[in-house]
């Protein structure tokens, strides 16, 4: 996490600046989408919740976790590269090179967003059938039960998070660059110039350092729901629910679950 801004800014700057190059925007889009999704995959894997893996000795479970990671990585890379190349090709047909230069800087957002959604679905689809752990909000013990309804909410919330989080990093810099930076430095409007790259780099780093943490703060890692919102099979587990307090669980009780980011 200490190097999140410094290392994470590199692929973002690459996507936003090389997207406007006239010589070969298609190659630039493909290469930097691949680099960005590879960086995201390694970052997510290094900062994952590995408590279950540490306590688990079953090699089959470990292999399944690795398989889901590989599937998520392949899905994210192929989706982001495919969307990026498709949008780049469409812009090339619809707009002139000068007019399309700015719009190409907006391509990384839908491409990364699509890759993020594909990654979440491929890596967490199994949770919809197995459920995820829910526990009492005020309970510090490890007692929990599995809920498919909580899993559905967690996956949905994570997808929404993955759609919103790229906005300050991939949309704000090109919009600020176009609306503010080029007014003070007119030559920055030309793709590939030093003024263009320097301006986009500065704005990307600033948005990465300040706007992204603010966006992350809007999405807490834990979600909450009422007991009566759980599926009937879970509510019917009287023995499991009775462990959470001498009076048991009432319909108005709140349970929490780890929805991820």
């Amino acid at each position: 996490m200490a190097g999140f801004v410094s290392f994470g800014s590199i692929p973002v700057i690459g996507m936003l600046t090389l997207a406007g190059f006239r010589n070969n925007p298609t190659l630039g889009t493909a290469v930097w989408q691949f680099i960005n999704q590879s960086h995201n995959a390694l970052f997510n894997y290094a900062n994952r919740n590995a408590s279950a893996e540490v306590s688990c000795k079953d090699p089959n479970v470990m292999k399944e976790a690795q398989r889901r990671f590989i599937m998520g990585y392949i899905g994210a890379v192929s989706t982001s590269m495919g969307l990026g190349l498709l949008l780049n090709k469409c812009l090339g047909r619809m707009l002139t090179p000068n007019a399309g230069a700015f719009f190409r800087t907006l391509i990384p957002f839908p491409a990364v967003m699509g890759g993020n959604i594909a990654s979440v679905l491929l890596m967490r689809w199994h949770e919809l059938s197995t459920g995820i752990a829910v526990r009492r909000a005020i309970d510090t013990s490890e007692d929990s039960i599995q809920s498919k309804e909580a899993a559905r909410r967690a996956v949905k919330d994570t997808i929404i998070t993955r759609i919103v989080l790229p906005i300050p990093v991939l949309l704000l810099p090109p919009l600020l660059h176009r609306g503010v930076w080029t007014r003070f430095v007119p030559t920055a409007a030309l793709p590939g110039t030093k003024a263009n790259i320097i301006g986009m780099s500065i704005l990307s780093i600033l948005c990465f350092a300040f706007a992204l943490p603010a966006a992350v703060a809007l999405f807490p890692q834990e979600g909450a729901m009422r007991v009566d919102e759980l599926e009937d099979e879970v509510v019917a587990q009287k023995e499991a629910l009775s462990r959470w307090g001498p009076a048991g669980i009432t319909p108005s009780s709140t349970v929490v679950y780890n929805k991820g980011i």
Side-chain angles (χ1 to χ4, degrees), residues 192-251:
T193 61
K194 289 184 179 179
N196 177 276
I197 296 175
I198 292 174
M200 192 71 77
S201 300
I202 293 175
L203 292 173
S204 298
I205 293 174
L206 290 176
C207 290
F208 220 109
F210 297 103
L212 181 61
V216 172
L218 297 176
F219 299 95
Q221 191 166 354
E222 280 194 342
M225 59 189 301
R226 289 162 52 98
V227 169
D228 55 5
E229 294 175 326
L230 296 170
E231 59 268 35
D232 295 336
E233 309 90 83
V234 175
V235 178
Q237 298 180 29
K238 301 296 185 182
E239 294 183 1
L241 295 177
S242 64
R243 295 180 303 178
W244 292 352
I249 291 290
T250 64

Coordinates of all heavy atoms in Angstrom, one line a residue, residues 192-251:
G192 N 1.0 13.9 -27.4 CA 2.4 13.5 -27.5 C 3.5 14.6 -27.2 O 4.7 14.2 -27.1
T193 N 3.1 15.8 -27.0 CA 4.0 16.9 -26.7 C 4.4 16.8 -25.2 O 3.7 16.2 -24.4 CB 3.4 18.2 -26.9 OG1 2.3 18.4 -26.1 CG2 3.0 18.4 -28.4
K194 N 5.6 17.4 -24.9 CA 6.0 17.4 -23.5 C 5.0 18.0 -22.6 O 4.8 17.5 -21.5 CB 7.4 18.1 -23.4 CG 8.5 17.3 -24.0 CD 9.9 18.0 -23.8 CE 11.0 17.2 -24.4 NZ 12.3 17.9 -24.1
A195 N 4.4 19.1 -23.0 CA 3.5 19.8 -22.2 C 2.2 19.0 -21.9 O 1.7 19.0 -20.9 CB 3.0 21.1 -22.9
N196 N 1.8 18.2 -22.9 CA 0.7 17.3 -22.8 C 1.0 16.2 -21.8 O 0.2 15.9 -20.9 CB 0.3 16.7 -24.2 CG -0.8 15.7 -24.1 OD1 -0.6 14.5 -23.8 ND2 -2.0 16.1 -24.3
I197 N 2.1 15.6 -21.9 CA 2.5 14.4 -21.0 C 2.7 14.9 -19.6 O 2.3 14.3 -18.6 CB 3.7 13.7 -21.6 CG1 3.4 13.1 -22.9 CG2 4.2 12.6 -20.6 CD1 4.6 12.4 -23.6
I198 N 3.4 16.0 -19.5 CA 3.7 16.6 -18.1 C 2.4 17.0 -17.4 O 2.2 16.7 -16.3 CB 4.7 17.8 -18.2 CG1 6.1 17.3 -18.7 CG2 4.8 18.5 -16.9 CD1 7.1 18.4 -18.9
G199 N 1.6 17.7 -18.2 CA 0.3 18.1 -17.6 C -0.6 17.0 -17.1 O -1.1 16.9 -16.0
M200 N -0.7 16.0 -18.0 CA -1.5 14.8 -17.7 C -0.9 14.0 -16.5 O -1.6 13.5 -15.7 CB -1.7 13.9 -18.9 CG -2.8 12.8 -18.7 SD -4.4 13.5 -18.8 CE -4.6 13.8 -20.5
S201 N 0.4 14.0 -16.5 CA 1.1 13.2 -15.4 C 0.8 13.9 -14.1 O 0.5 13.2 -13.1 CB 2.6 13.1 -15.7 OG 2.8 12.5 -16.9
I202 N 1.0 15.2 -14.0 CA 0.8 15.9 -12.8 C -0.7 15.8 -12.3 O -0.9 15.5 -11.1 CB 1.1 17.4 -12.9 CG1 2.6 17.6 -13.2 CG2 0.7 18.2 -11.7 CD1 3.0 19.0 -13.5
L203 N -1.6 15.9 -13.2 CA -3.0 15.8 -12.8 C -3.4 14.4 -12.4 O -4.1 14.2 -11.4 CB -3.9 16.2 -14.0 CG -3.9 17.7 -14.3 CD1 -4.7 18.0 -15.6 CD2 -4.5 18.6 -13.2
S204 N -2.8 13.4 -13.0 CA -3.0 12.0 -12.7 C -2.5 11.7 -11.3 O -3.2 11.0 -10.5 CB -2.4 11.1 -13.7 OG -2.9 11.2 -15.0
I205 N -1.3 12.1 -11.0 CA -0.7 11.9 -9.7 C -1.6 12.6 -8.6 O -1.8 12.0 -7.5 CB 0.7 12.3 -9.6 CG1 1.6 11.5 -10.6 CG2 1.3 12.3 -8.2 CD1 3.0 11.9 -10.7
L206 N -2.0 13.8 -8.8 CA -2.8 14.5 -7.8 C -4.1 13.8 -7.6 O -4.6 13.7 -6.4 CB -3.0 16.0 -8.3 CG -1.8 16.9 -8.3 CD1 -2.1 18.3 -8.8 CD2 -1.2 17.0 -6.8
C207 N -4.8 13.4 -8.7 CA -6.1 12.7 -8.5 C -5.9 11.4 -7.8 O -6.7 11.0 -7.0 CB -6.7 12.6 -9.9 SG -7.3 14.1 -10.6
F208 N -4.8 10.7 -8.1 CA -4.5 9.4 -7.5 C -4.3 9.6 -6.0 O -4.7 8.8 -5.2 CB -3.3 8.8 -8.2 CG -3.4 7.3 -8.4 CD1 -3.5 6.8 -9.7 CD2 -3.4 6.4 -7.4 CE1 -3.6 5.5 -9.9 CE2 -3.5 5.1 -7.6 CZ -3.6 4.6 -8.8
A209 N -3.6 10.7 -5.7 CA -3.2 10.9 -4.3 C -4.3 11.4 -3.4 O -4.4 11.1 -2.2 CB -2.0 11.8 -4.2
F210 N -5.2 12.2 -4.0 CA -6.2 12.9 -3.2 C -7.7 12.4 -3.5 O -8.5 12.2 -2.6 CB -6.1 14.4 -3.3 CG -4.8 14.9 -2.8 CD1 -3.8 15.3 -3.7 CD2 -4.5 15.1 -1.5 CE1 -2.6 15.8 -3.3 CE2 -3.3 15.6 -1.0 CZ -2.3 15.9 -2.0
A211 N -8.0 12.4 -4.8 CA -9.4 12.0 -5.1 C -9.7 10.6 -4.9 O -10.8 10.2 -4.5 CB -9.6 12.4 -6.6
L212 N -8.8 9.7 -5.2 CA -9.0 8.2 -5.1 C -9.3 7.8 -3.6 O -10.2 7.1 -3.4 CB -7.9 7.4 -5.7 CG -8.1 5.9 -5.6 CD1 -9.3 5.5 -6.4 CD2 -6.9 5.2 -6.2
P213 N -8.4 8.3 -2.7 CA -8.7 7.9 -1.3 C -10.1 8.4 -0.8 O -10.8 7.8 0.0 CB -7.6 8.6 -0.5 CG -6.5 8.7 -1.5 CD -7.1 9.0 -2.8
A214 N -10.5 9.6 -1.3 CA -11.8 10.1 -0.9 C -12.9 9.2 -1.5 O -14.0 9.0 -0.8 CB -12.0 11.5 -1.5
A215 N -12.7 8.7 -2.7 CA -13.7 7.8 -3.3 C -13.8 6.5 -2.6 O -14.8 5.9 -2.4 CB -13.4 7.6 -4.8
V216 N -12.6 6.0 -2.2 CA -12.5 4.7 -1.4 C -13.3 4.8 -0.1 O -13.9 3.9 0.3 CB -11.1 4.3 -1.2 CG1 -11.0 3.1 -0.3 CG2 -10.4 3.9 -2.6
A217 N -13.1 6.0 0.5 CA -13.8 6.2 1.8 C -15.3 6.1 1.7 O -16.0 5.9 2.7 CB -13.4 7.5 2.4
L218 N -15.9 6.3 0.5 CA -17.3 6.2 0.4 C -17.8 4.8 0.4 O -19.0 4.6 0.5 CB -17.7 6.9 -1.0 CG -17.4 8.4 -1.1 CD1 -17.8 8.9 -2.5 CD2 -18.2 9.2 -0.1
F219 N -16.9 3.8 0.3 CA -17.3 2.4 0.2 C -16.6 1.6 1.3 O -15.6 1.1 1.1 CB -17.0 1.9 -1.2 CG -17.7 2.6 -2.3 CD1 -17.0 3.6 -3.0 CD2 -19.0 2.3 -2.7 CE1 -17.6 4.3 -4.1 CE2 -19.6 2.9 -3.7 CZ -18.9 3.9 -4.4
P220 N -17.2 1.5 2.5 CA -16.7 0.7 3.5 C -16.6 -0.7 3.1 O -17.4 -1.2 2.3 CB -17.6 0.9 4.7 CG -18.9 1.4 4.1 CD -18.5 2.1 2.9
Q221 N -15.6 -1.4 3.7 CA -15.4 -2.8 3.3 C -16.5 -3.7 3.9 O -16.7 -4.8 3.3 CB -14.0 -3.3 3.7 CG -13.6 -4.6 3.1 CD -12.2 -4.9 3.3 OE1 -11.4 -4.1 3.8 NE2 -11.7 -6.1 3.0
E222 N -17.1 -3.3 4.9 CA -18.2 -4.2 5.5 C -19.5 -3.6 5.2 O -19.8 -2.4 5.1 CB -18.0 -4.2 7.1 CG -17.0 -5.1 7.6 CD -17.1 -5.4 9.1 OE1 -17.8 -4.5 9.8 OE2 -16.6 -6.3 9.6
G223 N -20.4 -4.6 4.9 CA -21.8 -4.2 4.6 C -22.7 -4.7 5.8 O -22.3 -5.6 6.5
A224 N -23.9 -4.2 5.9 CA -24.8 -4.5 7.0 C -26.2 -4.8 6.4 O -26.6 -4.2 5.4 CB -24.9 -3.4 8.0
M225 N -26.9 -5.7 7.1 CA -28.3 -6.0 6.7 C -29.0 -6.6 7.9 O -28.4 -7.0 8.9 CB -28.3 -7.0 5.6 CG -27.6 -8.4 5.9 SD -27.4 -9.4 4.4 CE -29.1 -9.7 3.9
R226 N -30.3 -6.5 7.9 CA -31.2 -7.0 9.0 C -31.3 -8.5 8.8 O -31.2 -9.0 7.8 CB -32.5 -6.3 8.9 CG -32.6 -4.8 9.3 CD -33.8 -4.2 8.8 NE -35.0 -4.9 9.2 CZ -35.8 -4.6 10.3 NH1 -35.4 -3.5 11.0 NH2 -36.9 -5.3 10.6
V227 N -31.5 -9.1 10.0 CA -31.7 -10.6 10.0 C -32.9 -11.0 9.2 O -32.8 -12.0 8.4 CB -31.8 -11.1 11.4 CG1 -32.2 -12.5 11.5 CG2 -30.5 -10.9 12.2
D228 N -34.0 -10.2 9.2 CA -35.1 -10.6 8.4 C -34.9 -10.5 6.9 O -35.8 -10.8 6.1 CB -36.4 -9.9 8.9 CG -36.2 -8.4 8.8 OD1 -35.2 -7.9 8.4 OD2 -37.1 -7.7 9.3
E229 N -33.8 -9.9 6.5 CA -33.5 -9.8 5.1 C -32.7 -11.0 4.6 O -32.5 -11.1 3.4 CB -32.7 -8.5 4.8 CG -33.5 -7.2 5.1 CD -32.7 -6.0 4.9 OE1 -31.5 -6.0 5.2 OE2 -33.3 -5.0 4.4
L230 N -32.2 -11.8 5.5 CA -31.5 -13.0 5.1 C -32.5 -14.1 4.5 O -33.7 -14.0 4.8 CB -30.8 -13.6 6.4 CG -29.7 -12.8 7.0 CD1 -29.3 -13.4 8.3 CD2 -28.5 -12.7 6.1
E231 N -32.0 -15.0 3.8 CA -32.8 -16.0 3.2 C -33.4 -16.9 4.3 O -32.9 -17.0 5.4 CB -32.1 -16.9 2.2 CG -30.9 -17.6 2.8 CD -29.6 -16.8 2.6 OE1 -29.6 -15.6 2.7 OE2 -28.5 -17.4 2.4
D232 N -34.5 -17.5 4.0 CA -35.3 -18.3 5.0 C -34.4 -19.5 5.6 O -34.5 -19.8 6.8 CB -36.5 -18.9 4.4 CG -37.5 -17.8 4.0 OD1 -37.4 -16.7 4.6 OD2 -38.4 -18.1 3.1
E233 N -33.6 -20.1 4.8 CA -32.8 -21.2 5.3 C -31.8 -20.7 6.4 O -31.6 -21.5 7.4 CB -32.0 -21.8 4.2 CG -32.8 -22.2 2.9 CD -32.8 -21.0 1.9 OE1 -31.9 -20.9 1.1 OE2 -33.8 -20.3 2.0
V234 N -31.3 -19.5 6.3 CA -30.4 -19.0 7.3 C -31.1 -18.7 8.6 O -30.7 -19.0 9.7 CB -29.6 -17.8 6.8 CG1 -28.8 -17.2 7.9 CG2 -28.8 -18.2 5.6
V235 N -32.3 -18.0 8.4 CA -33.1 -17.6 9.6 C -33.5 -18.9 10.4 O -33.7 -18.9 11.6 CB -34.3 -16.8 9.2 CG1 -35.1 -16.4 10.4 CG2 -33.8 -15.5 8.5
A236 N -33.7 -20.0 9.6 CA -34.2 -21.2 10.2 C -33.1 -21.9 11.1 O -33.4 -22.8 11.8 CB -34.7 -22.2 9.2
Q237 N -31.9 -21.4 11.0 CA -30.8 -22.1 11.7 C -30.8 -21.6 13.2 O -30.0 -20.8 13.6 CB -29.4 -21.8 11.1 CG -29.3 -22.4 9.7 CD -28.0 -22.1 9.1 OE1 -27.0 -21.9 9.8 NE2 -27.9 -22.0 7.7
K238 N -31.8 -22.0 13.9 CA -32.0 -21.5 15.3 C -30.7 -21.8 16.2 O -30.3 -20.9 17.0 CB -33.2 -22.2 15.9 CG -34.5 -22.0 15.2 CD -34.9 -20.5 15.2 CE -36.2 -20.3 14.5 NZ -36.6 -18.9 14.4
E239 N -30.1 -22.9 16.0 CA -29.0 -23.2 16.8 C -27.8 -22.3 16.6 O -27.1 -21.8 17.5 CB -28.5 -24.7 16.6 CG -29.6 -25.7 17.1 CD -29.1 -27.1 16.9 OE1 -27.9 -27.3 16.4 OE2 -29.8 -28.1 17.2
A240 N -27.6 -22.0 15.3 CA -26.5 -21.1 14.9 C -26.8 -19.7 15.4 O -25.9 -19.0 15.9 CB -26.2 -21.1 13.4
L241 N -28.0 -19.3 15.2 CA -28.3 -17.9 15.7 C -28.3 -17.8 17.2 O -28.0 -16.7 17.7 CB -29.7 -17.5 15.2 CG -29.9 -17.5 13.6 CD1 -31.3 -17.2 13.3 CD2 -29.0 -16.4 13.1
S242 N -28.6 -18.8 17.9 CA -28.6 -18.7 19.4 C -27.2 -18.5 20.0 O -27.1 -18.1 21.1 CB -29.3 -20.0 20.0 OG -28.5 -21.1 19.7
R243 N -26.2 -18.8 19.2 CA -24.9 -18.6 19.7 C -24.5 -17.1 19.8 O -23.5 -16.8 20.4 CB -23.8 -19.3 18.8 CG -23.9 -20.8 18.7 CD -22.9 -21.4 17.8 NE -23.0 -20.8 16.5 CZ -22.2 -21.1 15.5 NH1 -21.2 -22.0 15.7 NH2 -22.4 -20.6 14.3
W244 N -25.3 -16.3 19.1 CA -24.9 -14.9 19.1 C -25.5 -14.0 20.2 O -25.6 -12.8 20.1 CB -25.4 -14.3 17.7 CG -24.6 -14.8 16.6 CD1 -23.5 -15.6 16.6 CD2 -24.9 -14.7 15.2 NE1 -23.1 -15.9 15.4 CE2 -24.0 -15.4 14.5 CE3 -25.9 -14.0 14.5 CZ2 -23.9 -15.4 13.1 CZ3 -25.9 -14.0 13.1 CH2 -24.9 -14.7 12.4
G245 N -26.0 -14.7 21.2 CA -26.5 -13.9 22.4 C -27.4 -14.7 23.2 O -28.1 -15.7 22.6
P246 N -27.6 -14.5 24.5 CA -28.5 -15.3 25.3 C -29.9 -15.1 24.9 O -30.7 -16.1 25.1 CB -28.3 -14.7 26.7 CG -27.7 -13.3 26.5 CD -26.9 -13.4 25.2
A247 N -30.3 -14.0 24.3 CA -31.7 -13.9 23.8 C -31.9 -14.2 22.4 O -33.0 -14.1 21.8 CB -32.1 -12.4 24.1
G248 N -30.8 -14.7 21.8 CA -30.9 -15.1 20.3 C -30.9 -13.9 19.5 O -30.6 -12.8 19.8
I249 N -31.4 -14.0 18.3 CA -31.5 -13.0 17.3 C -32.9 -12.6 17.0 O -33.8 -13.5 16.8 CB -30.8 -13.4 16.0 CG1 -29.3 -13.6 16.2 CG2 -31.0 -12.5 14.8 CD1 -28.5 -12.3 16.3
T250 N -33.2 -11.3 16.9 CA -34.5 -10.8 16.6 C -34.5 -10.3 15.1 O -33.4 -10.1 14.6 CB -34.9 -9.7 17.5 OG1 -34.0 -8.6 17.3 CG2 -34.8 -10.1 19.0
P251 N -35.7 -10.2 14.5 CA -35.7 -9.8 13.1 C -35.1 -8.4 12.9 O -34.6 -8.1 11.8 CB -37.2 -9.7 12.8 CG -37.8 -10.7 13.7 CD -37.0 -10.6 15.0

